[in-house]
Amino acid sequence: ARSAIPKGTRLVIGSGAEVGNLAQLVEVADSVIVGSSLKADGKASSPLDMSRVTTFVEAARHVLKLS
């Protein structure tokens, strides 16, 4: 995927980021936008589920080797 874009271009994944695919996404992307995977029942119209948020942040720290 990276070879298809000009060198120096930042690649942002705009949807679909979740704990289960985060490691694969950060292999090719510079950043990800996280939305409904952090909401109750994974539904965009639902409120944030703090358990999902905590799990995602912990996974991100692990994947990015921040902790």
Side-chain angles (χ1 to χ4, degrees):
R2 289 303 290 222
S3 62
I5 62 174
K7 187 175 182 172
T9 301
R10 297 190 55 80
L11 178 62
V12 178
I13 306 258
S15 67
E18 57 188 45
V19 170
N21 64 10
L22 186 59
Q24 293 86 0
L25 295 179
V26 299
E27 286 180 13
V28 295
D30 296 297
S31 57
V32 298
I33 297 171
V34 187
S36 58
S37 70
L38 303 182
K39 302 289 192 100
D41 300 318
K43 295 181 181 178
S45 60
S46 296
L48 282 174
D49 179 330
M50 292 313 293
S51 174
R52 287 175 177 244
V53 172
T54 300
T55 300
F56 188 90
V57 169
E58 289 172 354
R61 286 182 175 153
H62 176 75
V63 167
L64 298 172
K65 296 173 180 44
L66 298 177
S67 61

Short mmCIF file of all heavy atoms in Angstrom, two decimals:
data_model
loop_
_atom_site.label_atom_id
_atom_site.label_comp_id
_atom_site.label_asym_id
_atom_site.label_seq_id
_atom_site.Cartn_x
_atom_site.Cartn_y
_atom_site.Cartn_z
N ALA A 1 0.82 -1.20 0.00
CA ALA A 1 0.00 0.00 0.00
C ALA A 1 0.86 1.26 0.00
O ALA A 1 0.56 2.21 -0.69
CB ALA A 1 -0.93 0.00 1.20
N ARG A 2 1.93 1.27 0.80
CA ARG A 2 2.79 2.46 0.88
C ARG A 2 3.45 2.77 -0.45
O ARG A 2 3.68 3.94 -0.76
CB ARG A 2 3.87 2.27 1.95
CG ARG A 2 3.42 2.29 3.37
CD ARG A 2 2.69 3.53 3.75
NE ARG A 2 3.47 4.73 3.82
CZ ARG A 2 3.35 5.63 4.76
NH1 ARG A 2 2.52 5.43 5.77
NH2 ARG A 2 4.02 6.73 4.74
N SER A 3 3.79 1.76 -1.20
CA SER A 3 4.49 2.00 -2.47
C SER A 3 3.61 2.71 -3.49
O SER A 3 4.11 3.27 -4.46
CB SER A 3 4.99 0.68 -3.05
OG SER A 3 3.91 -0.18 -3.33
N ALA A 4 2.31 2.74 -3.26
CA ALA A 4 1.38 3.38 -4.20
C ALA A 4 1.23 4.88 -3.98
O ALA A 4 0.62 5.56 -4.79
CB ALA A 4 0.01 2.71 -4.10
N ILE A 5 1.81 5.41 -2.91
CA ILE A 5 1.68 6.85 -2.64
C ILE A 5 3.06 7.49 -2.66
O ILE A 5 4.06 6.84 -2.40
CB ILE A 5 0.97 7.12 -1.30
CG1 ILE A 5 1.75 6.54 -0.12
CG2 ILE A 5 -0.44 6.59 -1.30
CD1 ILE A 5 1.20 6.90 1.23
N PRO A 6 3.11 8.79 -3.00
CA PRO A 6 4.41 9.47 -3.08
C PRO A 6 5.16 9.45 -1.75
O PRO A 6 4.56 9.55 -0.68
CB PRO A 6 4.03 10.90 -3.45
CG PRO A 6 2.68 10.81 -4.07
CD PRO A 6 2.00 9.66 -3.39
N LYS A 7 6.48 9.31 -1.84
CA LYS A 7 7.32 9.31 -0.64
C LYS A 7 7.11 10.60 0.13
O LYS A 7 7.00 11.67 -0.44
CB LYS A 7 8.79 9.18 -1.04
CG LYS A 7 9.71 9.00 0.13
CD LYS A 7 11.12 8.75 -0.30
CE LYS A 7 11.98 8.54 0.94
NZ LYS A 7 13.32 8.12 0.60
N GLY A 8 7.02 10.48 1.45
CA GLY A 8 6.81 11.64 2.31
C GLY A 8 5.35 11.97 2.56
O GLY A 8 5.04 12.82 3.37
N THR A 9 4.44 11.30 1.86
CA THR A 9 3.02 11.52 2.06
C THR A 9 2.58 10.74 3.29
O THR A 9 2.88 9.56 3.43
CB THR A 9 2.21 11.04 0.84
OG1 THR A 9 2.64 11.77 -0.31
CG2 THR A 9 0.72 11.25 1.05
N ARG A 10 1.88 11.41 4.19
CA ARG A 10 1.38 10.74 5.39
C ARG A 10 0.11 9.96 5.04
O ARG A 10 -0.75 10.47 4.35
CB ARG A 10 1.10 11.75 6.49
CG ARG A 10 2.40 12.46 6.92
CD ARG A 10 2.25 13.29 8.15
NE ARG A 10 1.72 12.61 9.30
CZ ARG A 10 2.40 11.81 10.12
NH1 ARG A 10 3.66 11.55 9.89
NH2 ARG A 10 1.82 11.26 11.16
N LEU A 11 0.02 8.74 5.52
CA LEU A 11 -1.13 7.89 5.27
C LEU A 11 -1.95 7.77 6.53
O LEU A 11 -1.46 7.36 7.58
CB LEU A 11 -0.68 6.50 4.81
CG LEU A 11 -1.77 5.48 4.54
CD1 LEU A 11 -2.68 5.95 3.41
CD2 LEU A 11 -1.16 4.14 4.19
N VAL A 12 -3.22 8.18 6.45
CA VAL A 12 -4.15 8.12 7.57
C VAL A 12 -5.26 7.14 7.23
O VAL A 12 -5.88 7.25 6.18
CB VAL A 12 -4.76 9.51 7.86
CG1 VAL A 12 -5.76 9.43 9.00
CG2 VAL A 12 -3.67 10.52 8.16
N ILE A 13 -5.49 6.17 8.09
CA ILE A 13 -6.59 5.22 7.92
C ILE A 13 -7.81 5.88 8.56
O ILE A 13 -7.80 6.22 9.74
CB ILE A 13 -6.30 3.88 8.59
CG1 ILE A 13 -4.98 3.33 8.09
CG2 ILE A 13 -7.48 2.94 8.46
CD1 ILE A 13 -5.01 2.25 7.07
N GLY A 14 -8.87 6.07 7.78
CA GLY A 14 -10.02 6.85 8.22
C GLY A 14 -11.14 6.09 8.89
O GLY A 14 -12.03 6.70 9.47
N SER A 15 -11.13 4.79 8.82
CA SER A 15 -12.17 4.03 9.49
C SER A 15 -11.74 2.58 9.63
O SER A 15 -10.81 2.12 8.97
CB SER A 15 -13.51 4.10 8.72
OG SER A 15 -13.40 3.44 7.48
N GLY A 16 -12.42 1.89 10.51
CA GLY A 16 -12.18 0.47 10.68
C GLY A 16 -11.15 0.10 11.72
O GLY A 16 -10.90 -1.08 11.95
N ALA A 17 -10.53 1.08 12.36
CA ALA A 17 -9.51 0.77 13.37
C ALA A 17 -10.16 0.20 14.62
O ALA A 17 -11.11 0.77 15.16
CB ALA A 17 -8.71 2.02 13.72
N GLU A 18 -9.64 -0.93 15.06
CA GLU A 18 -10.11 -1.57 16.29
C GLU A 18 -8.96 -2.36 16.88
O GLU A 18 -7.92 -2.53 16.23
CB GLU A 18 -11.32 -2.46 16.01
CG GLU A 18 -11.06 -3.53 14.98
CD GLU A 18 -12.32 -4.29 14.59
OE1 GLU A 18 -13.34 -3.64 14.36
OE2 GLU A 18 -12.26 -5.52 14.54
N VAL A 19 -9.13 -2.82 18.08
CA VAL A 19 -8.06 -3.53 18.79
C VAL A 19 -7.53 -4.69 17.94
O VAL A 19 -6.32 -4.89 17.85
CB VAL A 19 -8.54 -4.04 20.17
CG1 VAL A 19 -7.54 -4.97 20.80
CG2 VAL A 19 -8.83 -2.86 21.09
N GLY A 20 -8.41 -5.42 17.31
CA GLY A 20 -8.01 -6.62 16.57
C GLY A 20 -7.18 -6.38 15.33
O GLY A 20 -6.50 -7.30 14.87
N ASN A 21 -7.21 -5.18 14.76
CA ASN A 21 -6.44 -4.94 13.54
C ASN A 21 -5.43 -3.80 13.68
O ASN A 21 -4.76 -3.43 12.72
CB ASN A 21 -7.36 -4.68 12.35
CG ASN A 21 -8.18 -3.41 12.48
OD1 ASN A 21 -7.98 -2.60 13.37
ND2 ASN A 21 -9.14 -3.25 11.59
N LEU A 22 -5.29 -3.26 14.86
CA LEU A 22 -4.43 -2.10 15.07
C LEU A 22 -2.98 -2.38 14.68
O LEU A 22 -2.35 -1.55 14.01
CB LEU A 22 -4.51 -1.64 16.53
CG LEU A 22 -3.77 -0.36 16.86
CD1 LEU A 22 -4.28 0.80 16.01
CD2 LEU A 22 -3.92 -0.04 18.33
N ALA A 23 -2.46 -3.52 15.05
CA ALA A 23 -1.06 -3.84 14.73
C ALA A 23 -0.83 -3.83 13.22
O ALA A 23 0.18 -3.30 12.74
CB ALA A 23 -0.67 -5.18 15.32
N GLN A 24 -1.76 -4.38 12.46
CA GLN A 24 -1.61 -4.42 11.01
C GLN A 24 -1.73 -3.01 10.41
O GLN A 24 -1.02 -2.66 9.48
CB GLN A 24 -2.66 -5.34 10.36
CG GLN A 24 -2.48 -6.79 10.70
CD GLN A 24 -3.15 -7.20 12.00
OE1 GLN A 24 -3.77 -6.39 12.70
NE2 GLN A 24 -3.02 -8.45 12.37
N LEU A 25 -2.64 -2.21 10.95
CA LEU A 25 -2.83 -0.86 10.41
C LEU A 25 -1.61 0.01 10.62
O LEU A 25 -1.20 0.74 9.71
CB LEU A 25 -4.07 -0.21 11.04
CG LEU A 25 -5.41 -0.86 10.74
CD1 LEU A 25 -6.53 -0.12 11.46
CD2 LEU A 25 -5.68 -0.93 9.25
N VAL A 26 -1.01 -0.04 11.79
CA VAL A 26 0.13 0.83 12.05
C VAL A 26 1.40 0.39 11.31
O VAL A 26 2.35 1.15 11.22
CB VAL A 26 0.42 1.04 13.56
CG1 VAL A 26 -0.77 1.68 14.25
CG2 VAL A 26 0.81 -0.25 14.23
N GLU A 27 1.37 -0.81 10.75
CA GLU A 27 2.50 -1.24 9.90
C GLU A 27 2.57 -0.40 8.63
O GLU A 27 3.65 -0.20 8.09
CB GLU A 27 2.37 -2.72 9.54
CG GLU A 27 2.69 -3.66 10.67
CD GLU A 27 2.56 -5.11 10.27
OE1 GLU A 27 2.46 -5.40 9.06
OE2 GLU A 27 2.57 -5.96 11.16
N VAL A 28 1.42 0.09 8.16
CA VAL A 28 1.41 0.85 6.90
C VAL A 28 0.96 2.30 7.07
O VAL A 28 1.28 3.13 6.24
CB VAL A 28 0.52 0.17 5.83
CG1 VAL A 28 1.08 -1.17 5.43
CG2 VAL A 28 -0.91 0.05 6.29
N ALA A 29 0.25 2.59 8.14
CA ALA A 29 -0.31 3.93 8.30
C ALA A 29 0.50 4.76 9.30
O ALA A 29 1.13 4.22 10.20
CB ALA A 29 -1.75 3.85 8.79
N ASP A 30 0.45 6.07 9.11
CA ASP A 30 1.08 6.99 10.05
C ASP A 30 0.14 7.29 11.21
O ASP A 30 0.60 7.63 12.30
CB ASP A 30 1.45 8.29 9.34
CG ASP A 30 2.49 8.05 8.27
OD1 ASP A 30 3.60 7.62 8.62
OD2 ASP A 30 2.18 8.26 7.09
N SER A 31 -1.16 7.19 10.97
CA SER A 31 -2.15 7.40 12.02
C SER A 31 -3.46 6.76 11.63
O SER A 31 -3.66 6.40 10.47
CB SER A 31 -2.34 8.90 12.31
OG SER A 31 -2.72 9.58 11.14
N VAL A 32 -4.32 6.60 12.62
CA VAL A 32 -5.64 6.03 12.37
C VAL A 32 -6.69 6.90 13.05
O VAL A 32 -6.41 7.55 14.05
CB VAL A 32 -5.77 4.57 12.89
CG1 VAL A 32 -4.81 3.66 12.18
CG2 VAL A 32 -5.57 4.48 14.39
N ILE A 33 -7.87 6.93 12.47
CA ILE A 33 -9.01 7.61 13.07
C ILE A 33 -9.88 6.53 13.70
O ILE A 33 -10.23 5.55 13.03
CB ILE A 33 -9.80 8.41 12.01
CG1 ILE A 33 -8.91 9.51 11.43
CG2 ILE A 33 -11.08 8.99 12.63
CD1 ILE A 33 -9.51 10.22 10.23
N VAL A 34 -10.19 6.69 14.96
CA VAL A 34 -10.96 5.68 15.68
C VAL A 34 -12.33 6.26 16.01
O VAL A 34 -12.43 7.39 16.47
CB VAL A 34 -10.25 5.27 16.99
CG1 VAL A 34 -10.98 4.11 17.63
CG2 VAL A 34 -8.81 4.93 16.72
N GLY A 35 -13.37 5.50 15.77
CA GLY A 35 -14.71 5.99 16.03
C GLY A 35 -15.59 4.97 16.70
O GLY A 35 -15.50 4.73 17.91
N SER A 36 -16.43 4.34 15.92
CA SER A 36 -17.48 3.48 16.48
C SER A 36 -16.94 2.28 17.24
O SER A 36 -17.64 1.73 18.09
CB SER A 36 -18.45 3.04 15.39
OG SER A 36 -17.77 2.34 14.37
N SER A 37 -15.71 1.87 16.99
CA SER A 37 -15.20 0.72 17.75
C SER A 37 -15.04 1.05 19.23
O SER A 37 -14.91 0.15 20.05
CB SER A 37 -13.86 0.23 17.18
OG SER A 37 -12.82 1.13 17.42
N LEU A 38 -15.08 2.33 19.57
CA LEU A 38 -14.98 2.75 20.98
C LEU A 38 -16.34 3.03 21.60
O LEU A 38 -16.43 3.37 22.78
CB LEU A 38 -14.10 3.99 21.11
CG LEU A 38 -12.69 3.88 20.55
CD1 LEU A 38 -11.94 5.17 20.79
CD2 LEU A 38 -11.95 2.70 21.14
N LYS A 39 -17.38 2.88 20.82
CA LYS A 39 -18.74 3.17 21.29
C LYS A 39 -19.40 1.90 21.82
O LYS A 39 -19.04 0.79 21.44
CB LYS A 39 -19.59 3.74 20.15
CG LYS A 39 -19.04 5.01 19.51
CD LYS A 39 -19.19 6.17 20.45
CE LYS A 39 -18.93 7.49 19.78
NZ LYS A 39 -20.12 8.21 19.42
N ALA A 40 -20.38 2.07 22.69
CA ALA A 40 -21.12 0.93 23.23
C ALA A 40 -21.71 0.12 22.09
O ALA A 40 -22.28 0.67 21.15
CB ALA A 40 -22.23 1.42 24.16
N ASP A 41 -21.50 -1.17 22.14
CA ASP A 41 -21.97 -2.11 21.11
C ASP A 41 -21.40 -1.83 19.73
O ASP A 41 -21.91 -2.34 18.74
CB ASP A 41 -23.51 -2.14 21.04
CG ASP A 41 -24.13 -2.57 22.36
OD1 ASP A 41 -23.60 -3.51 22.98
OD2 ASP A 41 -25.12 -1.95 22.78
N GLY A 42 -20.37 -0.99 19.63
CA GLY A 42 -19.76 -0.69 18.35
C GLY A 42 -20.63 0.13 17.42
O GLY A 42 -20.40 0.19 16.22
N LYS A 43 -21.64 0.80 17.98
CA LYS A 43 -22.59 1.59 17.18
C LYS A 43 -22.23 3.07 17.29
O LYS A 43 -22.10 3.61 18.39
CB LYS A 43 -24.01 1.36 17.66
CG LYS A 43 -24.47 -0.07 17.44
CD LYS A 43 -25.89 -0.25 17.90
CE LYS A 43 -26.31 -1.71 17.69
NZ LYS A 43 -27.66 -1.94 18.17
N ALA A 44 -22.12 3.74 16.14
CA ALA A 44 -21.71 5.14 16.10
C ALA A 44 -22.62 6.05 16.92
O ALA A 44 -22.16 7.04 17.49
CB ALA A 44 -21.64 5.62 14.66
N SER A 45 -23.89 5.71 17.01
CA SER A 45 -24.84 6.57 17.72
C SER A 45 -24.82 6.36 19.24
O SER A 45 -25.45 7.11 19.97
CB SER A 45 -26.26 6.34 17.19
OG SER A 45 -26.63 4.98 17.39
N SER A 46 -24.07 5.37 19.69
CA SER A 46 -24.01 5.06 21.12
C SER A 46 -22.95 5.92 21.81
O SER A 46 -22.05 6.44 21.17
CB SER A 46 -23.67 3.58 21.32
OG SER A 46 -24.69 2.76 20.82
N PRO A 47 -23.06 6.04 23.14
CA PRO A 47 -22.03 6.78 23.88
C PRO A 47 -20.73 5.99 23.93
O PRO A 47 -20.70 4.79 23.67
CB PRO A 47 -22.63 6.92 25.28
CG PRO A 47 -23.60 5.79 25.39
CD PRO A 47 -24.13 5.54 24.00
N LEU A 48 -19.65 6.69 24.27
CA LEU A 48 -18.36 6.01 24.44
C LEU A 48 -18.47 4.94 25.52
O LEU A 48 -19.14 5.13 26.54
CB LEU A 48 -17.29 7.00 24.87
CG LEU A 48 -16.69 7.87 23.79
CD1 LEU A 48 -15.75 8.90 24.40
CD2 LEU A 48 -15.97 7.05 22.75
N ASP A 49 -17.81 3.84 25.28
CA ASP A 49 -17.72 2.75 26.25
C ASP A 49 -16.30 2.83 26.81
O ASP A 49 -15.32 2.51 26.12
CB ASP A 49 -17.96 1.43 25.54
CG ASP A 49 -17.85 0.23 26.45
OD1 ASP A 49 -17.08 0.28 27.43
OD2 ASP A 49 -18.51 -0.78 26.16
N MET A 50 -16.16 3.31 28.04
CA MET A 50 -14.84 3.55 28.60
C MET A 50 -14.00 2.27 28.70
O MET A 50 -12.78 2.33 28.63
CB MET A 50 -14.95 4.24 29.96
CG MET A 50 -15.48 5.68 29.84
SD MET A 50 -14.69 6.67 28.53
CE MET A 50 -13.03 6.80 29.16
N SER A 51 -14.64 1.13 28.82
CA SER A 51 -13.90 -0.12 28.81
C SER A 51 -13.25 -0.34 27.45
O SER A 51 -12.09 -0.75 27.35
CB SER A 51 -14.84 -1.28 29.15
OG SER A 51 -14.16 -2.51 29.02
N ARG A 52 -13.99 -0.06 26.38
CA ARG A 52 -13.44 -0.18 25.02
C ARG A 52 -12.33 0.83 24.80
O ARG A 52 -11.32 0.52 24.17
CB ARG A 52 -14.53 0.02 23.98
CG ARG A 52 -15.50 -1.13 23.86
CD ARG A 52 -16.62 -0.76 22.88
NE ARG A 52 -17.53 -1.85 22.68
CZ ARG A 52 -17.70 -2.47 21.52
NH1 ARG A 52 -17.04 -2.09 20.45
NH2 ARG A 52 -18.54 -3.47 21.42
N VAL A 53 -12.52 2.03 25.31
CA VAL A 53 -11.49 3.07 25.16
C VAL A 53 -10.20 2.63 25.86
O VAL A 53 -9.11 2.69 25.28
CB VAL A 53 -11.98 4.42 25.74
CG1 VAL A 53 -10.84 5.43 25.78
CG2 VAL A 53 -13.15 4.95 24.93
N THR A 54 -10.32 2.17 27.09
CA THR A 54 -9.16 1.72 27.86
C THR A 54 -8.44 0.58 27.15
O THR A 54 -7.21 0.58 27.03
CB THR A 54 -9.58 1.30 29.28
OG1 THR A 54 -10.17 2.43 29.93
CG2 THR A 54 -8.40 0.79 30.09
N THR A 55 -9.20 -0.39 26.67
CA THR A 55 -8.61 -1.53 25.96
C THR A 55 -7.88 -1.08 24.71
O THR A 55 -6.78 -1.54 24.42
CB THR A 55 -9.71 -2.56 25.61
OG1 THR A 55 -10.31 -3.02 26.83
CG2 THR A 55 -9.13 -3.75 24.87
N PHE A 56 -8.47 -0.14 23.96
CA PHE A 56 -7.84 0.35 22.74
C PHE A 56 -6.56 1.11 23.05
O PHE A 56 -5.53 0.91 22.40
CB PHE A 56 -8.80 1.25 21.94
CG PHE A 56 -8.26 1.62 20.59
CD1 PHE A 56 -8.52 0.83 19.50
CD2 PHE A 56 -7.48 2.75 20.42
CE1 PHE A 56 -8.00 1.15 18.25
CE2 PHE A 56 -6.96 3.09 19.19
CZ PHE A 56 -7.22 2.28 18.10
N VAL A 57 -6.59 1.96 24.05
CA VAL A 57 -5.41 2.73 24.42
C VAL A 57 -4.28 1.80 24.87
O VAL A 57 -3.12 1.98 24.49
CB VAL A 57 -5.74 3.79 25.50
CG1 VAL A 57 -4.47 4.41 26.08
CG2 VAL A 57 -6.65 4.86 24.93
N GLU A 58 -4.61 0.80 25.66
CA GLU A 58 -3.60 -0.18 26.09
C GLU A 58 -3.01 -0.91 24.90
O GLU A 58 -1.80 -1.11 24.82
CB GLU A 58 -4.20 -1.16 27.09
CG GLU A 58 -4.49 -0.54 28.44
CD GLU A 58 -5.26 -1.45 29.38
OE1 GLU A 58 -5.69 -2.55 28.97
OE2 GLU A 58 -5.45 -1.05 30.54
N ALA A 59 -3.86 -1.30 23.95
CA ALA A 59 -3.38 -1.98 22.74
C ALA A 59 -2.49 -1.06 21.92
O ALA A 59 -1.44 -1.48 21.42
CB ALA A 59 -4.56 -2.47 21.90
N ALA A 60 -2.89 0.20 21.79
CA ALA A 60 -2.09 1.16 21.03
C ALA A 60 -0.72 1.36 21.68
O ALA A 60 0.30 1.40 21.00
CB ALA A 60 -2.83 2.48 20.91
N ARG A 61 -0.71 1.49 22.99
CA ARG A 61 0.58 1.65 23.70
C ARG A 61 1.48 0.44 23.48
O ARG A 61 2.69 0.59 23.28
CB ARG A 61 0.33 1.86 25.19
CG ARG A 61 -0.18 3.23 25.51
CD ARG A 61 -0.36 3.41 27.00
NE ARG A 61 -0.75 4.78 27.29
CZ ARG A 61 -1.45 5.15 28.34
NH1 ARG A 61 -1.83 4.23 29.22
NH2 ARG A 61 -1.76 6.40 28.53
N HIS A 62 0.88 -0.74 23.51
CA HIS A 62 1.65 -1.97 23.29
C HIS A 62 2.20 -2.01 21.86
O HIS A 62 3.39 -2.25 21.65
CB HIS A 62 0.79 -3.19 23.59
CG HIS A 62 1.50 -4.47 23.28
ND1 HIS A 62 2.48 -4.99 24.08
CD2 HIS A 62 1.35 -5.33 22.24
CE1 HIS A 62 2.92 -6.12 23.56
NE2 HIS A 62 2.25 -6.34 22.44
N VAL A 63 1.33 -1.78 20.88
CA VAL A 63 1.72 -1.84 19.47
C VAL A 63 2.79 -0.79 19.15
O VAL A 63 3.74 -1.05 18.42
CB VAL A 63 0.48 -1.65 18.55
CG1 VAL A 63 0.88 -1.38 17.11
CG2 VAL A 63 -0.41 -2.87 18.63
N LEU A 64 2.63 0.40 19.73
CA LEU A 64 3.56 1.48 19.46
C LEU A 64 4.75 1.47 20.43
O LEU A 64 5.61 2.33 20.36
CB LEU A 64 2.83 2.82 19.56
CG LEU A 64 1.70 3.01 18.55
CD1 LEU A 64 0.92 4.27 18.86
CD2 LEU A 64 2.23 3.02 17.12
N LYS A 65 4.77 0.46 21.31
CA LYS A 65 5.84 0.29 22.29
C LYS A 65 6.03 1.54 23.16
O LYS A 65 7.13 2.02 23.38
CB LYS A 65 7.13 -0.10 21.60
CG LYS A 65 7.02 -1.45 20.92
CD LYS A 65 8.24 -1.76 20.10
CE LYS A 65 8.17 -3.09 19.40
NZ LYS A 65 6.99 -3.50 18.73
N LEU A 66 4.89 2.07 23.66
CA LEU A 66 4.91 3.26 24.50
C LEU A 66 4.84 2.94 25.98
O LEU A 66 4.88 3.84 26.80
CB LEU A 66 3.75 4.18 24.12
CG LEU A 66 3.77 4.73 22.70
CD1 LEU A 66 2.52 5.57 22.44
CD2 LEU A 66 5.02 5.55 22.46
N SER A 67 4.66 1.67 26.31
CA SER A 67 4.60 1.34 27.73
C SER A 67 5.44 0.13 28.03
O SER A 67 5.96 -0.51 27.19
CB SER A 67 3.16 1.09 28.18
OG SER A 67 2.60 0.01 27.48
#
